[in-house]
């Protein structure tokens, strides 16, 4: 069947549609960029205000313990909210990137699947790191022995959200490692932290802690048993605790040596 040539009017209509599509896409991208900039600006303002509030709580000298507990619990709620905002921002950014990859005609199907899988892996790893990074900032603002008892209560309180309890546990680990490991090794704490994403997050933080701190004696033993118990739960192993501990200790020691060598090499440069 012979195709009839398009009329000038039809060509103009197609051009108008194409121009309208390009304009809509540009407008959508501009709105998305403006919204992202506003969100980043608001998050920075929120973070600055939160750090000031946190330091204020840390320096409360004359308030009674009940008032400190109320303020600290509210403060932990706000840090939890900040963590969720960071994770949501990550989800949005990676979601847009994966949508672009999924619809890009210049990417072949095999490469598309690999790239999306890599993006998913990166997303999962960063989600485990964000709470640890927030907890470090929280510790720098509020890390004092005077508040360790209240922070421990927040970590143990099962009425709190899992994320709030994880943040509290990480802060307690920096303030009082022995007390934190004793709490995190208890059956009650273990059972309440049974969700896989929580265990993965905790394991990631403990490995980082092992590389950063020089543990010795009974504290090192407590740490090794704690990591062994968490890893056993993650992989569903039936190993005896001592056998699992040996496996974990060898791997931790090896990774610590590699990390130390990298630091020395970097320092020489």
């Amino acid at each position: 069947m012979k195709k009839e040539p398009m009329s000038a009017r039809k060509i103009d209509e197609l051009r108008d549609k194409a121009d309208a599509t390009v304009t809509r896409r540009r407008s959508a991208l501009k709105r998305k960029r403006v919204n992202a900039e506003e969100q980043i600006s608001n998050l920075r303002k929120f973070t600055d205000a939160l750090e000031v509030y946190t330091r204020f709580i840390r320096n409360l000298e004359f308030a009674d313990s009940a008032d400190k507990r109320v303020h600290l619990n509210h403060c932990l709620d706000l840090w939890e909210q900040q963590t969720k905002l960071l994770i949501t921002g990550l989800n949005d950014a990676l979601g847009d990137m994966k949508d672009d990859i999924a619809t890009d005609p210049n990417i072949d199907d095999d490469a598309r699947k690999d790239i999306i899988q890599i993006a998913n892996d990166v997303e999962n790893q960063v989600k485990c790191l964000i709470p640890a990074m927030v907890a470090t900032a929280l510790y720098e603002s509020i890390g004092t022995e005077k508040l360790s008892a209240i922070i421990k209560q927040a970590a143990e309180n099962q009425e709190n959200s899992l994320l709030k309890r994880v943040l509290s546990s990480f802060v307690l680990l920096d303030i009082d490692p022995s007390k934190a490991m004793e709490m995190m090794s208890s059956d009650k704490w273990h059972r309440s932290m049974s969700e896989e994403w929580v265990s993965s997050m905790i394991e990631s933080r403990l490995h980082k802690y092992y590389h950063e701190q020089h543990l010795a004696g009974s504290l090192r033993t407590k740490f090794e048993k704690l990591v062994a118990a968490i890893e056993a739960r993650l992989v569903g192993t039936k190993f005896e605790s001592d056998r699992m501990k040996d496996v974990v200790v060898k791997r931790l020691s090896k990774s610590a040596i590699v990390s130390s060598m990298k630091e020395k090499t970097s320092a020489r440069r």
Side-chain angles (χ1 to χ4, degrees), residues 16-32:
D16 290 342
K17 285 182 180 179
D19 289 342
T21 300
V22 171
T23 301
R24 282 197 303 271
R25 287 182 177 175
R26 285 177 177 172
S27 297
L29 288 172
K30 184 177 180 180
R31 286 196 302 271
K32 189 176 290 186

Side-chain angles (χ1 to χ4, degrees), residues 122-167:
V122 170
E123 181 178 4
N124 292 331
Q125 296 229 352
V126 175
K127 281 181 180 178
C128 285
L129 293 175
I130 286 176
M133 293 167 59
V134 172
T136 299
L138 176 54
Y139 166 71
E140 289 174 353
S141 298
I142 207 170
T144 171
E145 180 68 28
K146 295 181 293 184
L147 297 174
S148 63
I150 303 176
I151 293 172
K152 184 173 182 287
Q153 289 173 359
E156 292 177 325
N157 187 355
Q158 296 192 32
E159 293 182 0
N160 290 334
S161 69
L162 281 175
L163 184 53
K164 180 178 178 179
R165 294 182 60 205
V166 167
L167 291 174

Side-chain angles (χ1 to χ4, degrees), residues 1 11 17 30 44 54 67 79 90 114 144 179 181 187 196-197 199 205 210 214 229 234-235 242 256 260:
M1 184 176 177
I11 292 173
K17 285 182 180 179
K30 184 177 180 180
R44 285 174 177 167
T54 306
D67 287 339
W79 281 94
L90 173 70
D114 291 339
T144 171
K179 189 180 294 184
M181 289 178 197
D187 290 339
E196 186 173 339
W197 69 273
S199 296
R205 176 66 186 99
Y210 188 85
H214 299 286
L234 278 172
V235 301
D242 288 342
S260 178

